[in-house]
């Protein structure tokens, strides 16, 4: 069996070119003979139409990277496994790819993430979950739809391929209770700090934790903001502007605790407590070095994980093994779940939470509402003579 070649495929975004059909055919008649006369694309190859597709939408940096990854896998499969171009693929082929990524063969898998330029690179680190397969096929179906709409393809075979079905939980369960969040805040606020760098780190981490607790923002939304995104319109209400999925702007209410943590954090970096709308200093700063440098999403996630680890130790010392176990599982995204869950249970309208969270559907927001389940639980136990005090 010939060895698979996972050569680099250039999927860097570029603006769609504007040359007409006649010009394209003059440039490469053979490559374009199957493209419609009135096509509105300059793409001559499958990789070029993929690059155009990636450039087409207003995708964020992460969405572009994810789409590139999925289309690299798919186009490599087309070349190495199917031996076909996009216009040669059938519905059966595409369903075959959907099954292929469920459990890729060993020669497509490496648990080590080598660079794509490394000969040891493999497209997969293991089988894909149903949720990951669904996202992979969404990228493939999106490419086919775009290629058909622009005239690069005559028919959209992927339109006849059904989405991967995923089991969706009826309730969000990965969240921290108000008591757990209070303990985490206490742990980071009382962290020993004896050097300027450790003081900066403590105050930054306290601000980070406070921000995610109160806003429910996605990790990248706060890390990607600037200092000037904090502002008031003069009526006593403070806001934080962020860019959500698809570069959609959203403004988040800032409570007094978060504003106080923000100002104390700035002072630790020798900045004035107040800022201005024109301040383009990164909102989340590295605690090392002399320059004001933005940290990465990964560094912010690691900082929060370190707080959770310390909080787990504190919970153990308090004799709360359940809380300690929860902290050891928690990640940064749990803070988003926690904010939405706790506010939903406190009676905040789902429409308000939907707008704050940036959810496209209110059904997504409704998954955070546990209050009715808790009441049902208490009623059943009370009827059986097993009240809260007996638990």
């Amino acid at each position: 069996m010939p060895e698979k070649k996972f050569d680099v495929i250039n999927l860097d975004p570029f603006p769609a070119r504007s040359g007409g059909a006649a010009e394209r055919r003059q440039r490469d008649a053979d490559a374009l003979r199957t493209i419609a006369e009135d096509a509105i694309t300059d793409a001559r190859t499958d990789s070029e139409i993929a690059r155009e597709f990636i450039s087409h939408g207003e995708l964020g940096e992460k969405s572009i990277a994810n789409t590139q990854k999925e289309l690299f896998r798919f186009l490599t499969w087309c070349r190495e496994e199917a031996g076909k171009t996009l216009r040669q693929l059938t519905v059966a082929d595409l369903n075959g790819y959907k099954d292929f990524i469920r459990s890729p063969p060993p020669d497509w898998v490496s648990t080590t993430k080598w660079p794509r330029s490394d000969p040891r690179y493999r497209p997969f680190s293991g089988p894909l979950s149903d949720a990951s397969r669904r996202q992979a096929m969404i990228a493939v179906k999106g490419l086919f739809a775009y290629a058909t709409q622009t005239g690069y393809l005559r028919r959209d075979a992927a339109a006849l391929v059904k989405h991967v079905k995923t089991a969706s939980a009826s309730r969000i369960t990965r969240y921290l209770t108000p008591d757990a969040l209070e303990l985490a805040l206490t742990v980071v606020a009382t962290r020993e700090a004896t050097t300027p760098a450790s003081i900066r780190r403590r105050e930054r981490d306290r601000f980070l934790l406070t921000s995610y607790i109160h806003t429910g923002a996605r990790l990248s939304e706060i890390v990607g903001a600037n200092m000037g995104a904090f502002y008031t319109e003069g009526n006593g209400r403070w806001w934080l502007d962020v860019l959500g999925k698809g570069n959609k702007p959203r403004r988040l209410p800032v409570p007094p605790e978060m504003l106080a943590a923000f100002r104390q954090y700035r002072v630790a970096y020798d900045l004035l407590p107040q800022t201005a709308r024109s301040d383009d200093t990164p909102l989340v700063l590295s605690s090392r070095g002399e320059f004001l440098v933005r940290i990465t999403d990964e560094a912010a996630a690691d900082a929060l994980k370190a707080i959770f680890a310390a909080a787990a130790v504190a919970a153990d010392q308090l004799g709360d093994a359940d809380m300690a176990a929860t902290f050891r599982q928690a990640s940064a995204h749990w803070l988003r779940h926690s904010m939405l869950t706790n506010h939903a249970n406190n009676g905040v309208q789902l429409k308000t939470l939907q707008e704050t969270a940036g959810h496209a559907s209110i059904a997504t927001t409704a998954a955070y509402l546990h209050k009715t389940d808790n009441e049902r639980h208490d009623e059943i136990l009370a009827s059986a003579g097993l009240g809260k005090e007996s638990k």
Side-chain angles (χ1 to χ4, degrees):
M1 199 172 198
E3 182 181 351
K4 300 292 186 298
K5 297 187 181 298
F6 303 108
D7 298 334
V8 173
I9 298 174
N10 183 8
L11 294 179
D12 291 338
F14 54 43
R17 295 182 293 273
S18 58
E23 178 187 339
R24 289 196 303 276
R25 280 168 172 73
Q26 184 178 9
R27 186 173 61 216
D28 194 344
D30 288 338
L32 294 165
R33 66 181 183 274
T34 59
I35 298 178
E37 286 286 347
D38 58 349
I40 54 173
T41 176
D42 277 334
R44 294 175 292 167
T45 63
D46 291 348
S47 61
E48 284 189 358
I49 195 64
R51 292 177 69 187
E52 228 179 75
F53 166 62
I54 292 168
S55 309
H56 173 65
E58 294 183 355
L59 299 178
E61 187 176 337
K62 280 193 170 182
S63 295
I64 287 175
N66 286 334
T67 305
Q68 287 173 319
K69 176 185 70 177
E70 298 300 351
L71 294 185
F72 172 80
R73 288 170 168 173
F74 175 63
L75 293 177
T76 300
W77 175 86
C78 289
R79 183 185 67 211
E80 300 294 335
E81 297 288 337
K84 295 181 177 181
T85 64
L86 292 185
R87 59 178 59 92
Q88 293 171 328
L89 291 173
T90 65
V91 175
D93 291 327
L94 293 171
N95 279 319
Y97 179 69
K98 189 165 66 169
D99 290 335
F100 177 86
I101 60 179
R102 186 198 305 273
S103 185
D107 56 349
W108 281 70
V109 176
S110 172
T111 54
T112 302
K113 293 184 178 181
W114 302 107
R116 287 187 185 174
S117 57
D118 192 297
R120 294 167 293 182
Y121 168 81
R122 295 294 181 269
F124 297 92
S125 59
L128 296 190
S129 67
D130 286 344
S132 296
R133 288 173 63 229
R134 180 181 176 85
Q135 290 304 312
M137 293 309 296
I138 285 174
V140 171
K141 288 167 75 69
L143 171 61
F144 267 81
Y146 178 81
T148 305
Q149 290 162 3
T150 57
Y152 181 83
L153 295 179
R154 294 182 183 279
R155 294 181 178 86
D156 182 1
L160 300 177
V161 176
K162 293 182 178 179
H163 282 296
V164 177
K165 293 183 178 179
T166 58
S168 56
S170 59
R171 289 289 181 267
I172 298 296
T173 57
R174 298 174 299 167
Y175 66 94
L176 297 165
T177 65
D179 287 344
L181 294 173
E182 189 61 37
L183 178 59
L185 284 168
T186 300
V187 164
V188 70
T190 56
R191 180 193 291 166
E192 184 177 358
T194 57
T195 65
S198 62
I199 292 171
R200 289 195 295 269
R201 179 170 172 262
R202 180 186 64 194
E203 297 307 321
R204 181 206 63 199
D205 291 355
R206 187 166 77 95
F207 164 69
L208 263 181
L209 180 62
T210 305
S211 297
Y212 288 115
I213 286 174
H214 285 294
T215 66
R218 299 178 180 90
L219 185 68
S220 60
E221 291 174 345
I222 287 185
V223 173
N226 292 332
M227 293 282 186
F230 265 87
Y231 66 97
T232 180
E233 295 174 336
N235 55 8
R237 295 180 178 87
W238 282 81
W239 302 92
L240 172 64
D241 281 348
V242 297
L243 278 180
K245 287 185 176 180
N247 286 328
K248 293 179 181 177
R250 200 166 80 257
R251 69 175 189 167
L252 306 174
V254 174
E257 296 86 350
M258 181 175 163
L259 182 60
F262 172 65
R263 287 174 169 169
Q264 192 167 331
Y265 155 57
R266 282 178 58 86
V267 169
Y269 280 76
D270 295 325
L271 300 170
L272 292 174
Q274 295 79 20
T275 186
R277 288 290 276 155
S278 58
D279 189 348
D280 60 0
T281 304
L283 180 57
V284 187
L285 298 165
S286 170
S287 59
R288 301 174 182 175
E290 300 178 7
F291 301 103
L292 301 178
V293 178
R294 189 188 310 276
I295 67 172
T296 63
D297 290 1
E298 184 178 9
D302 288 344
L304 292 168
K305 287 284 281 185
I307 295 172
F308 296 151
V313 173
D316 270 333
Q317 292 171 346
L318 293 172
D320 195 333
D322 290 338
M323 184 184 291
T326 300
F327 272 125
R328 290 191 178 97
Q329 298 175 59
S331 67
H333 202 65
W334 282 41
L335 295 173
R336 177 171 168 83
H337 295 325
S338 302
M339 179 269 190
L340 295 171
T341 297
N342 293 329
H343 281 308
N345 289 343
N346 287 337
V348 176
Q349 292 185 10
L350 290 183
K351 185 63 177 175
T352 299
L353 291 179
Q354 179 193 2
E355 292 174 354
T356 301
H359 287 151
S361 169
I362 200 166
T364 304
T365 315
Y368 293 88
L369 181 58
H370 294 255
K371 186 173 183 179
T372 53
D373 280 350
N374 293 340
E375 290 171 345
R376 178 166 58 87
H377 186 283
D378 293 347
E379 278 188 35
I380 294 296
L381 266 63
S383 176
L386 298 171
K388 290 181 181 179
E389 66 279 355
S390 64
K391 286 190 268 185

